[in-house]
């Protein structure tokens, strides 16, 4: 009997799991082995994690963080490997504990490492303590300063003002409006208006840094002093791709993104076409959002299956519209849809679509824990 061929997928976020499941359903278990590598034994549904670290309300700690033992259907190819990839070579992935995983196809979907409350640890015990510690930090603080007004900072400020309306929450951001210029100024101004109505204060066009030791205030780059007993960094995350540089430094950009072709194949110097990338890590001119993942999966899975059959890749990625929905607790939020003249929606649509449930049902369905 011929030895099985191997597919290794690095990263068990939504991109990695969905690609693994798509391939598992299509391939013969007698011929193929699929290994999904995760650096932790659970899946993090990031859309719900800010509320999770702020409050027990809604039970999101139990709904948004689920084990990985039900990813694959019985009888189908697929195995979850808990480990940390430290390097890649042609045909093999090396893990921190010394294990080596051989591959005929490799998919890199290792995502982003975040600062502040989203920098979750990698064991169940440490994760539970992390949640409890952040909830306690927010509970006892009176003057909270958030560094960064991207989606993470804006949503965290909204969650805090919903659950702790009497606390002082200030957001410092380097640009003159929150978010970035992908979104029109009218939407960015709407965020300021909406969040200020909740009591959030903005310091825009200025920057702050994490103070050292004990502190009662923070001083911005422009010399403004802001009262603070808790400073929370929420600036942009860092791509988890450093382990690729020894394999082929040409494929990793200065920002840590992975260069890809429209087929989402990685253009390797050795000329091989058996490495793919998906999710946050791809070097594509788009915002890093969960909403983009299904479109990535819809390219990677059929292209790998076509390659296995010896056929040309049938799918190319053309990007995805830059819509966004920012909740401020379960009943308040704003949404932007880049259609027509640019449509904005308010609380009711935001609550019905995302703010109330934060899409945890999708995370539970993905991991088999409804």
């Amino acid at each position: 009997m011929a030895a099985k061929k191997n597919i290794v997928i690095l990263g068990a976020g939504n991109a990695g799991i969905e690609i693994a499941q798509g391939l598992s359903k299509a391939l013969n278990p007698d011929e193929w082995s699929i290994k999904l590598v995760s650096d932790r034994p659970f899946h993090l549904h990031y859309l719900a994690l800010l509320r999770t670290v702020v409050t027990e309300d809604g039970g999101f700690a139990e709904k948004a963080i689920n084990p990985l033992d039900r990813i694959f259907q019985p009888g189908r190819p697929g195995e979850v490997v808990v480990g940390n990839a430290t390097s890649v070579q042609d045909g093999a992935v090396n893990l921190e504990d010394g294990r080596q995983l051989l591959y005929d196809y490799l998919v890199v979907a290792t995502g982003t490492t975040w600062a502040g409350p989203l920098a979750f640890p990698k064991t169940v015990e440490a994760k539970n303590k992390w949640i409890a510690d952040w909830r306690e930090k927010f509970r006892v603080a009176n003057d909270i300063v958030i560094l960064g007004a991207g989606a993470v900072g804006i949503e965290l400020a909204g969650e805090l003002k919903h659950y702790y309306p009497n606390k002082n929450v200030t957001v410092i951001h380097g640009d003159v409006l929150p978010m970035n210029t992908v979104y029109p100024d009218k939407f960015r101004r709407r965020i300021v208006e909406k969040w200020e109505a909740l009591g959030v204060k903005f310091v825009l066009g200025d920057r702050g840094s994490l103070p050292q030791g004990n502190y009662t205030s923070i001083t911005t780059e422009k010399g403004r002093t802001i009262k603070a007993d808790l400073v929370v960094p929420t600036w942009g995350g860092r791509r988890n791709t450093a382990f690729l540089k020894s394999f082929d430094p040409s494929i990793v950009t200065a920002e840590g993104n992975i260069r890809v072709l429209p087929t989402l194949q990685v253009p390797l110097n050795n000329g091989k076409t058996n490495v793919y990338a998906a999710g946050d890590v791809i070097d594509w001119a788009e915002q890093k959002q969960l909403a983009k993942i299904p479109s990535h999966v819809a390219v990677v899975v059929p292209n790998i299956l076509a390659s296995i059959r010896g056929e040309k890749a049938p799918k190319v990625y053309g990007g995805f519209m830059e819509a966004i929905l920012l909740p401020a607790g379960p009943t308040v939020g704003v949404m932007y849809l880049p259609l027509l003249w640019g449509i904005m929606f308010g609380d009711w649509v935001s609550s019905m679509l995302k703010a109330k449930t934060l899409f945890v049902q999708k995370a539970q369905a993905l991991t088999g824990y409804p």
Side-chain angles (χ1 to χ4, degrees), residues 141-145 167-169 227-231:
N142 291 309
D143 301 289
I144 303 170
V145 173
K167 293 184 185 294
N168 297 315
V169 177
K227 191 176 180 182
D229 53 13
L230 179 61
V231 178

Side-chain angles (χ1 to χ4, degrees), residues 48-280:
L49 293 186
L50 291 173
R51 190 170 301 167
T52 298
V53 297
V54 169
T55 179
E56 296 179 357
D57 186 49
F60 284 98
E62 292 74 37
K63 298 174 183 177
I65 305 172
N66 294 297
L68 296 170
D69 58 338
R70 300 181 185 175
I71 296 299
F72 298 103
Q73 294 297 316
R76 304 307 308 165
E79 173 191 356
V80 174
V81 176
V82 178
N84 186 43
T86 54
S87 65
V88 172
Q89 60 197 68
D90 186 17
V93 174
N94 301 306
L95 303 184
E96 191 173 39
D97 61 7
R99 286 177 292 173
Q100 186 178 72
L101 305 178
L102 303 181
Y103 69 83
D104 295 279
Y105 291 90
L106 174 66
V107 180
V108 183
T110 41
T112 299
T113 294
W114 296 95
L118 293 185
F120 269 65
K122 297 180 180 181
T123 68
V124 173
E125 296 77 12
K127 173 262 296 181
N128 293 336
K129 184 177 185 301
W130 183 265
I131 293 170
D133 287 351
W134 273 103
R135 286 176 178 173
E136 181 64 10
K137 288 178 185 178
F138 290 131
R139 187 188 70 81
V140 302
N142 291 309
D143 301 289
I144 303 170
V145 173
I146 296 171
L147 302 179
V152 175
I154 290 296
E155 290 191 28
L156 178 58
E159 296 292 334
L160 288 168
K161 289 304 290 187
H162 176 84
Y163 290 103
Y164 296 106
N166 295 323
K167 293 184 185 294
N168 297 315
V169 177
T170 303
V171 180
I172 302 175
H173 188 58
D175 203 351
V176 295
L177 288 171
M179 303 297 290
N180 59 44
T181 56
V182 166
Y183 306 103
D185 285 356
K186 65 176 183 179
F187 176 66
R188 300 167 74 191
R189 286 193 293 268
R190 177 69 62 86
I191 295 169
V192 174
E193 294 166 3
K194 192 80 172 180
W195 264 242
E196 284 184 339
L198 299 173
V200 175
K201 301 180 180 69
F202 285 92
V203 176
L204 299 171
D206 203 349
R207 300 181 188 278
S209 57
L210 281 172
Q212 302 298 313
N214 297 324
Y215 56 88
T216 58
S217 65
I218 181 174
T219 301
T220 69
E221 286 185 356
K222 293 185 176 180
R224 180 170 178 173
T225 299
I226 301 166
K227 191 176 180 182
D229 53 13
L230 179 61
V231 178
V232 185
T234 64
W235 40 65
R238 174 177 50 82
R239 306 291 172 257
N240 293 319
T241 57
F243 63 92
L244 287 172
K245 290 182 179 178
S246 60
F247 173 44
D248 187 339
S250 73
I251 65 175
V252 182
T253 70
E255 296 76 25
N257 296 318
I258 301 173
R259 292 188 172 91
V260 290
L261 304 172
T263 55
L264 297 187
Q265 291 166 295
V266 179
L268 299 172
N269 271 336
N270 64 16
K272 292 190 175 182
T273 58
N274 62 335
V275 177
Y276 296 74
D280 283 4

Side-chain angles (χ1 to χ4, degrees), residues 334-348:
V334 293
M335 178 180 178
Y336 172 73
L337 199 60
L339 299 176
L340 301 174
W341 53 88
I343 305 172
M344 295 189 290
F345 299 93
D347 296 342
W348 188 84

